[in-house]
Amino acid sequence: AAAAKAQNNVYYWANNKPMVSTGGETNRQNIKYEQIPEAMRYAVMSAENKKFETDKGIDPVGIGRALFNMAKGGETQGGSTITQQYVKNAMLNDQSQTVSRKFKELLVSIKVGRTEPKEEVMAGYLNTAYYGRTSYGLQAAARSYFGKDATEMDESECALLAAVLKGATYYDPAGATAIDPGATQEANTRRATERWSWILDEMVKDGHLSATKRAEFKELPKLQNPRSSSELGGQIGYLVDLAKGYVINNTDITEEQLRQGGYEIHTTFDKKKVADLEKAVKKVRKENLDVKRRPKTDTHVQFGGASVDPKDGAIVAIYGGESATKHFTNNADETGAAVGSTFKPFVLAAAMQDGKRDPDLGESQAQDERTKVSPDSFYSGKNKLKIKTYDGSVWKNDKGKEWLQTNDDDASYGSPPNYRIDLREAMRVSANSAFVQLGMDVGLDKVKKAAENAGLRPNSLTGTTFPSFSIGISDPSAIRMAGSYATFATSGQQNDPFSVKEVEYEGGSVWKHKSAAKEAFTEQVADNVTDVLKTVVEDGTGTSAQLDGREVAGKTGTTDGNKSAWFVGYTPQLSTAVSMYRMDDDETKKSRPFLEMYGTGG
């Protein structure tokens, strides 16, 4: 059947030339029954089918439950023995949950149970099952998870793979957030640990494992990096993960169907731009970082980046990390690195779109009650500015402490005693105090709405009730930051970033992306933001981004403790976001905080 002979999926570059073939039987190596560890057979039996060695291939009680559910029009799954699962994986092309397919499964399972040796059924099941990490069959799984042959696995490793059979998306400790944001490393590790421990305990109860041996296994077995295929090295693995996640989350194609293979996935990725972005990062590393000379400041430096086409939101390039086979987290996606002052354009956009509130009126005010703001509006650039609410009262936190907003390097901008500067100048020098007070005057709810309208996801916006929200304590991804600045590049028309243009199956198109721009800001507001951000590149904190003969708009961003640094910039044709931070790459450590970057790169 199709599942037993899974094809590859072929991923294509934006120019429709093949990028990589992956997923399917590329990562399958069938093994004989004699090569399957006894502990693996017992782990699966204890977890899924205790009477496997004596049953007739079906579970009458389970089947009765399944038939009863079917009669009521409910779920058809249930009552699956190891034999039934083998039949479903290896012999039935139709994987749908229908009454007719369920009856077919039952009839074939009864025949297989009567005519086929248990050894063949067990080997067939373990060789055709999917274990995640593009691994079909026990041998491929053993190599993907533990870097060894199946014959070398111990009882603990067998129990973990038996646990993964329940669903790799949710039980692989490495996580699968590209498929489901809820399948985090933490959540998956918790689920896997609970099931792994339960299976070992069941093996003891069933007489397949001694209590003494069981007591030796206190923690999950050591796992190797999920990346095992050299084809997925460099940026390719990050690109494939991004495209795969997009297909699963934005089409009717399921993860199960993708595992069956045969799909042609046409991505938005520009091969040359991906290479150029990677080359740029490598150049910076080579010229600036010296771990031997500066081991305390130049280690663990990470970069993430993304480039988006403003006209439609196509993601043309990403930089996910050193290599997908060495560094698992895609740094172009959400990493937890705060965006700092690159958030300020959203505050300015909100102020120009909605205006600041009248201090004599209530907290919620209509548009015609507000005062319009422009790049020429004046605010204080004073360091340690006492922040006030829109009505003039001093803002205090829940502990009654007043908020004094500092600027980078504790510098004040403008002339004393009032330190008045206009918002264009405040953006050019990146004065925190001016934008924090501006956010309070406009309303942080309006700032949040502007950021969302530009294209940032609501779940990436944190600290929305604190004044510092306006200076980027949130942690959107590089992809989303590039996409949101692209909204300014298109004079206020917002397109969601996307990574797949079309999916084909057996030569025919089964899904096509359709861009649908939404107006996030008026043309005047968006173009005013762009005009201000040009100043940053021409004569501000972002002069390194200047291009010969080309106008560039952009914004730098740093955070408290210098734990992340950003630049997001754009021309009409391209919007690019780059992040930099320091974090230990050892994912086995329980605590991996963001590290300060004072002195990094000299």
Side-chain angles (χ1 to χ4, degrees):
K5 305 170 185 175
Q7 308 171 66
N8 286 330
N9 293 314
V10 183
Y11 291 80
Y12 293 87
W13 294 105
N15 62 3
N16 291 322
K17 292 186 178 179
M19 178 200 305
V20 67
S21 298
T22 185
E25 65 180 346
T26 6
N27 199 18
R28 179 207 298 279
Q29 306 89 35
N30 288 339
I31 57 176
K32 297 177 181 178
Y33 179 82
E34 294 76 24
Q35 295 173 285
I36 298 171
E38 186 178 66
M40 186 67 206
R41 306 197 302 265
Y42 287 140
V44 172
M45 283 190 274
S46 289
E48 300 183 21
N49 189 180
K50 291 179 183 291
K51 298 179 180 179
F52 169 75
E53 291 177 315
T54 57
D55 68 24
K56 301 298 183 183
I58 58 171
D59 172 15
V61 174
I63 289 172
R65 184 169 59 248
L67 292 175
F68 180 71
N69 287 339
M70 280 190 278
K72 292 198 306 177
E75 293 284 322
T76 58
Q77 54 264 59
S80 286
T81 62
I82 287 174
T83 303
Q84 284 174 262
Q85 292 180 62
Y86 166 50
V87 166
K88 184 166 63 175
N89 287 348
M91 300 182 179
L92 299 180
N93 285 303
D94 179 11
Q95 295 293 307
S96 62
Q97 287 293 331
T98 61
V99 174
S100 61
R101 195 213 55 79
K102 193 69 180 178
F103 274 115
K104 188 185 292 184
E105 176 192 308
L106 296 178
L107 291 169
V108 177
S109 296
I110 291 170
K111 184 171 183 179
V112 169
R114 290 178 58 190
T115 61
E116 300 298 322
K118 290 291 183 181
E119 292 83 357
E120 187 168 325
V121 173
M122 176 63 78
Y125 170 56
L126 293 177
N127 274 324
T128 56
Y130 181 68
Y131 298 78
R133 305 192 180 195
T134 68
S135 301
Y136 287 86
L138 184 63
Q139 177 74 327
R143 288 173 175 168
S144 294
Y145 282 81
F146 311 118
K148 60 176 67 173
D149 288 335
T151 55
E152 299 169 347
M153 292 195 305
D154 64 22
E155 293 88 340
S156 176
E157 293 164 336
C158 291
L160 179 61
L161 290 189
V164 168
L165 285 173
K166 189 171 177 66
T169 297
Y170 301 103
Y171 287 86
D172 181 351
T177 52
I179 296 171
D180 185 338
T184 62
Q185 285 185 345
E186 183 179 355
N188 279 22
T189 299
R190 174 181 52 77
R191 282 187 284 261
T193 302
E194 289 175 357
R195 187 159 178 83
W196 162 83
S197 181
W198 173 78
I199 289 173
L200 288 172
D201 291 339
E202 289 298 302
M203 290 172 72
V204 174
K205 287 181 188 176
D206 297 337
H208 301 315
L209 181 67
S210 71
T212 304
K213 189 68 177 176
R214 166 67 182 92
E216 293 178 14
F217 306 125
K218 296 180 174 62
E219 295 180 346
L220 286 179
K222 187 176 180 180
L223 303 174
Q224 69 172 10
N225 192 297
R227 306 291 185 184
S228 58
S229 170
S230 59
E231 290 181 330
L232 298 177
Q235 300 306 303
I236 301 298
Y238 304 124
L239 298 172
V240 167
D241 267 0
L242 196 62
K244 178 182 176 183
Y246 191 86
V247 169
I248 291 171
N249 291 314
N250 293 277
T251 77
D252 292 330
I253 300 166
T254 65
E255 185 190 8
E256 173 70 25
Q257 289 172 317
L258 274 182
R259 287 204 302 264
Q260 299 289 326
Y263 289 92
E264 296 184 356
I265 299 165
H266 297 267
T267 76
T268 59
F269 307 129
D270 182 312
K271 186 176 183 179
K272 184 179 184 301
K273 285 185 172 64
V274 171
D276 286 345
L277 185 51
E278 184 174 39
K279 183 180 177 182
V281 174
K282 287 182 176 179
K283 183 173 184 284
V284 168
R285 279 191 177 279
K286 185 177 180 180
E287 293 179 357
N288 296 278
L289 299 179
D290 192 333
V291 175
K292 290 183 179 178
R293 283 179 56 204
R294 294 184 293 267
K296 291 185 178 179
T297 60
D298 284 15
T299 53
H300 308 314
V301 177
Q302 297 285 346
F303 295 90
S307 291
V308 170
D309 187 336
K311 76 175 184 293
D312 57 7
I315 303 169
V316 297
I318 64 168
Y319 178 84
E322 180 186 1
S323 172
T325 57
K326 298 176 182 177
H327 171 77
F328 181 53
T329 303
N330 183 354
N331 295 347
D333 219 329
E334 291 182 16
T335 61
V339 296
S341 294
T342 57
F343 198 78
K344 289 173 182 172
F346 307 124
V347 186
L348 181 61
M352 291 192 292
Q353 185 108 325
D354 298 302
K356 63 180 182 179
R357 291 173 285 185
D358 185 332
D360 295 327
L361 301 179
E363 188 172 355
S364 180
Q365 297 180 18
Q367 194 80 25
D368 59 359
E369 296 174 317
R370 292 168 171 257
T371 303
K372 286 292 182 181
V373 174
S374 81
D376 298 325
S377 298
F378 283 95
Y379 270 80
S380 175
K382 181 183 179 183
N383 185 51
K384 295 185 178 178
L385 179 69
K386 187 177 291 187
I387 299 301
K388 299 177 181 179
T389 61
Y390 80 97
D391 62 6
S393 58
V394 177
W395 189 89
K396 296 179 181 179
N397 64 18
D398 54 6
K399 295 180 181 178
K401 188 175 180 180
E402 296 180 348
W403 188 275
L404 298 177
Q405 183 57 56
T406 58
N407 292 324
D408 285 346
D409 300 324
D410 288 328
S412 289
Y413 303 100
S415 301
N418 296 324
Y419 298 95
R420 276 164 49 91
I421 55 173
D422 62 39
L423 290 174
R424 180 185 298 277
E425 178 66 5
M427 189 74 80
R428 185 184 76 82
V429 298
S430 201
N432 292 338
S433 53
F435 281 95
V436 169
Q437 187 58 60
L438 177 63
M440 297 299 285
D441 291 350
V442 174
L444 297 181
D445 59 329
K446 297 292 186 183
V447 174
K448 179 174 183 285
K449 187 66 177 174
E452 290 178 11
N453 287 346
L456 298 188
R457 286 176 169 152
N459 63 2
S460 71
L461 301 175
T462 55
T464 55
T465 60
F466 293 93
S468 54
F469 175 65
S470 293
I471 53 173
I473 57 177
S474 299
D475 55 4
S477 68
I479 292 170
R480 284 284 163 173
M481 287 301 288
S484 64
Y485 272 50
T487 302
F488 299 127
T490 56
S491 298
Q493 297 299 307
Q494 188 268 331
N495 290 288
D496 275 341
F498 69 101
S499 57
V500 177
K501 297 185 294 184
E502 184 177 11
V503 181
E504 295 179 310
Y505 187 76
E506 294 184 348
S509 180
V510 293
W511 180 86
K512 280 187 178 180
H513 174 80
K514 294 179 181 177
S515 290
K518 303 184 287 286
E519 183 178 274
F521 309 109
T522 65
E523 184 175 339
Q524 183 182 16
V525 166
D527 290 350
N528 260 328
V529 171
T530 294
D531 191 57
V532 171
L533 294 183
K534 285 179 184 177
T535 309
V536 175
V537 178
E538 290 165 0
D539 189 30
T541 57
T543 54
S544 294
Q546 292 175 1
L547 296 175
D548 291 339
R550 298 288 299 279
E551 288 189 324
V552 179
K555 184 71 188 78
T556 52
T558 53
T559 57
D560 280 349
N562 211 20
K563 291 181 178 178
S564 60
W566 288 74
F567 182 78
V568 191
Y570 57 95
T571 64
Q573 295 80 22
L574 196 68
S575 178
T576 296
V578 176
S579 68
M580 174 182 169
Y581 55 93
R582 289 180 63 220
M583 178 184 282
D584 192 336
D585 211 24
D586 186 352
E587 295 178 358
T588 63
K589 292 184 177 179
K590 292 182 179 179
S591 176
R592 292 193 300 145
F594 286 96
L595 305 171
E596 292 183 343
M597 293 193 292
Y598 296 112
T600 297

